[in-house]
Amino acid sequence: MNQEIKDIIKQALHEDMPQGDITTDNLIPKGHTSSAYLLAKEAGVISGLEVFKEVFHQVGGDCVILFLTSDGQSVIPNELIAKITGDTATILKAERVALNLLQRMSGIATVTRRCVNEIVGDCKILDTRKTTPNLRILEKQAVVDGGGTNHRYCLSDMVMIKDNHIDAVGSITEAVRLSKQKTKGVKIEVEVENMKQFDEALATDCDIIMLDNMSNELMRECVLKNQHRKQLEASGNMSLERIKEVSSLGVDFISIGALTHSVKALDISLKFHLLEK
C-alpha cells in the first residue's frame, strides 16, 4: 500500500486514540475474541476495502477480514460486505476510523457511478481539487472506483489558467504564451466564461478549454466552433440532471466538484457477534 495512505491512517488513529482507548482497554480482557459483520445499510458502490483492512493492521492484534465484495462493486441494502474475526479489542479500536474512511470513499464512488451512468457518448466524468485536506489520494481513488476519471492531482501536475490568473497577467493569450515558454511537456488548460474568451483561447496553443458556468446553448456553440481542435471540459453547476444533455453536446469532459466536496457517506455498519469470553 502507498506510504501516503499508511501515513493518513496512522494520523487518523492517533487523532482517535492519542493515549489509547480507555473504554476498551478497561473493559476487554486480553485474549477476548469476537466476530463482526460489515453490512451495507443502503445501495451504493464500495470503495476503500484495503484502506479499511490497513486500519486493523495498524491497530495490531490478530484479526482476519474476509471481504465478500470488491472495490467498484455495487451493493444493496442488508448485503454483507465483510466478515471479521479475531481480537475483540482490535475490532473495537479500529471500527470507527475504518468505517469513516470506507463510508466516505464509498459515498464518493456511489455518486460518481450515478453521474457516469448518465453519460451519453465518450464523455468522461472528472473530479476536481475540491477534496478534504489530506484525504485527496483516497477521495480520488474513490472516484476511479466509481467509474470516473481523475483530473490533475495537484497544482504541480498541469497548467490550469483560471480567471484570477488571466486578470493578473492581462490576457488569455499572454497567460498561455508564458506557460508554453516556461513549461515543457505539460498540458495547458484555460478557463473561459463567454464566447469572446473562448475565441481567444481557441487561437492559442492550449490543450484544453474549460467552459465554465455556461448555458447548454453557449456550450453547443463552442463545440461547433471548436471542430475538435481542443479538448473541451464543461464545468460549473453540473447537477446529475444536466449530465445527459451536456454530455450529448460533444464535450470531452464534465468536471464535478460535488463528487468530493459535499458527498454523503454511504451508510455502512459493523455488527458484533460474540465468539467467546
Side-chain angles (χ1 to χ4, degrees):
M1 176 173 285
N2 185 298
Q3 186 60 47
E4 184 179 352
I5 297 175
K6 290 182 179 180
D7 290 342
I8 288 170
I9 293 168
K10 181 179 180 181
Q11 291 165 8
L13 287 170
H14 177 73
E15 176 185 62
D16 204 36
M17 46 180 183
Q19 296 176 323
D21 174 356
I22 62 172
T23 307
T24 298
D25 290 341
N26 287 293
L27 290 180
I28 307 301
K30 290 184 179 180
H32 193 291
T33 58
S34 297
S35 70
Y37 297 85
L38 202 56
L39 192 70
K41 302 298 290 294
E42 62 179 323
V45 177
I46 296 299
S47 176
L49 293 178
E50 289 303 312
V51 173
F52 182 90
K53 185 176 181 180
E54 177 64 19
V55 175
F56 282 77
H57 175 73
Q58 289 197 26
V59 170
D62 186 16
C63 282
V64 175
I65 303 176
L66 175 63
F67 291 122
L68 305 176
T69 186
S70 57
D71 288 337
Q73 295 299 306
S74 297
V75 292
I76 59 175
N78 297 316
E79 181 173 342
L80 284 178
I81 297 171
K83 295 180 180 180
I84 306 162
T85 58
D87 181 61
T88 303
T90 297
I91 298 172
L92 289 168
K93 291 178 180 181
E95 176 184 1
R96 179 42 51 200
V97 170
L99 277 175
N100 284 351
L101 295 172
L102 179 67
Q103 287 179 286
R104 178 152 186 83
M105 290 181 70
S106 296
I108 292 169
T110 299
V111 171
T112 302
R113 181 68 53 82
R114 290 176 188 152
C115 293
V116 169
N117 287 342
E118 292 296 311
I119 286 290
V120 174
D122 296 327
C123 182
K124 291 181 171 60
I125 295 292
L126 298 180
D127 53 24
T128 71
R129 287 172 40 251
K130 295 175 182 178
T131 54
T132 308
N134 300 321
L135 293 185
R136 182 172 294 171
I137 190 171
L138 301 182
E139 296 182 348
K140 281 186 170 281
Q141 179 57 52
V143 169
V144 172
D145 288 337
T149 301
N150 292 151
H151 205 307
R152 60 175 178 166
Y153 182 78
C154 64
L155 292 172
S156 303
D157 287 346
M158 64 180 284
V159 174
M160 183 180 287
I161 302 167
K162 300 175 77 72
D163 53 353
N164 289 334
H165 299 107
I166 296 165
D167 290 343
V169 172
S171 70
I172 290 172
T173 302
E174 181 64 6
V176 174
R177 186 190 71 79
L178 288 171
S179 297
K180 272 289 185 182
Q181 183 183 82
K182 297 182 178 182
T183 62
K184 301 296 179 183
V186 177
K187 283 190 174 183
I188 298 173
E189 180 168 1
V190 178
E191 176 188 89
V192 302
E193 298 175 348
N194 52 54
M195 188 57 73
K196 180 180 179 181
Q197 291 179 336
F198 179 79
D199 287 339
E200 184 180 359
L202 193 60
T204 70
D205 289 330
C206 74
D207 303 285
I208 307 168
I209 301 177
M210 178 195 291
L211 312 178
D212 186 47
N213 283 299
M214 287 188 179
S215 66
N216 291 358
E217 293 73 22
L218 187 54
M219 283 191 283
R220 184 178 290 108
E221 289 183 42
C222 291
V223 170
L224 290 173
K225 184 172 285 191
N226 182 53
Q227 292 295 306
H228 303 288
R229 283 179 280 176
K230 313 286 188 185
Q231 289 187 305
L232 300 182
E233 173 188 336
S235 183
N237 295 312
M238 288 300 160
S239 63
L240 187 65
E241 293 72 27
R242 287 190 71 195
I243 291 173
K244 185 170 292 185
E245 185 172 359
V246 172
S247 61
S248 70
L249 298 175
V251 296
D252 300 284
F253 310 107
I254 296 175
S255 58
I256 306 175
L259 295 182
T260 54
H261 73 57
S262 58
V263 73
K264 173 183 173 293
L266 190 68
D267 193 359
I268 300 171
S269 66
L270 190 152
K271 301 290 186 181
F272 256 65
H273 289 268
L274 193 64
L275 283 180
E276 61 182 62
K277 296 181 180 179

